[in-house]
Amino acid sequence: MFSYRSITVLAITMLLLSGCSFVDRWVYRPDINQGNYITQTEVDKLKVGQTKEQVVYVMGNPMLSSVFTDNVWYYIFRELPEHGYVSQKTYTIIFDQKGNVTDIKTSSLGKENLEQMDNEKELD
């Protein structure tokens, strides 16, 4: 026959072995930032017509360049806050054959985009 002490120990053991999901906010998780850290002031300095050297001066070296040509550069910044959602900003810079910027594209991925995608699925 189990005593109250045994039942208490068993309950505490089961609680501890069940995982840390209910105390997840108490567990330390470092912020994880990857890629090119780019601020809005740096993006505002980008202009169509700049040379590759000027872009490197403003934004730093690109994280990726196109496999097929050196005229497309990608600056990617991905962050995962301590207890938040992953967000990612991608800046695509396209150059002409002379090495001048012809187009600057921006895309982002984050909680807002995921919620919007969920809403669109519900409408279908």
Side-chain angles (χ1 to χ4, degrees):
M1 179 116 191
F2 283 106
S3 67
Y4 288 112
R5 186 177 191 179
S6 299
I7 292 173
T8 305
V9 170
L10 181 63
I12 291 173
T13 303
M14 288 176 56
L15 184 67
L16 291 174
L17 292 177
S18 67
C20 295
S21 61
F22 68 95
V23 293
D24 189 40
R25 293 286 178 191
W26 299 339
V27 176
Y28 173 73
R29 291 185 183 170
D31 292 340
I32 300 172
N33 299 322
Q34 297 175 315
N36 300 89
Y37 183 75
I38 299 170
T39 62
Q40 187 61 41
T41 55
E42 292 167 338
V43 174
D44 293 340
K45 292 178 185 177
L46 283 179
K47 305 286 184 225
V48 173
Q50 289 180 328
T51 64
K52 289 183 178 182
E53 292 80 18
Q54 290 171 323
V55 172
V56 170
Y57 180 77
V58 171
M59 303 277 284
N61 291 319
M63 178 154 216
L64 298 168
S65 62
S66 177
V67 176
F68 303 108
T69 179
D70 191 37
N71 291 334
V72 180
W73 288 0
Y74 299 97
Y75 290 86
I76 303 167
F77 180 62
R78 183 180 178 101
E79 61 183 338
L80 175 60
E82 183 177 350
H83 291 286
Y85 293 94
V86 173
S87 65
Q88 177 175 312
K89 285 210 173 251
T90 303
Y91 300 96
T92 305
I93 302 176
I94 302 169
F95 298 93
D96 61 11
Q97 295 301 326
K98 296 179 184 177
N100 297 326
V101 176
T102 58
D103 195 11
I104 302 167
K105 297 180 182 180
T106 305
S107 64
S108 61
L109 173 69
K111 182 180 178 183
E112 306 84 31
N113 300 90
L114 296 174
E115 289 173 354
Q116 181 181 3
M117 290 168 49
D118 288 341
N119 293 336
E120 289 174 358
K121 285 182 184 177
E122 290 175 3
L123 294 176
D124 290 340

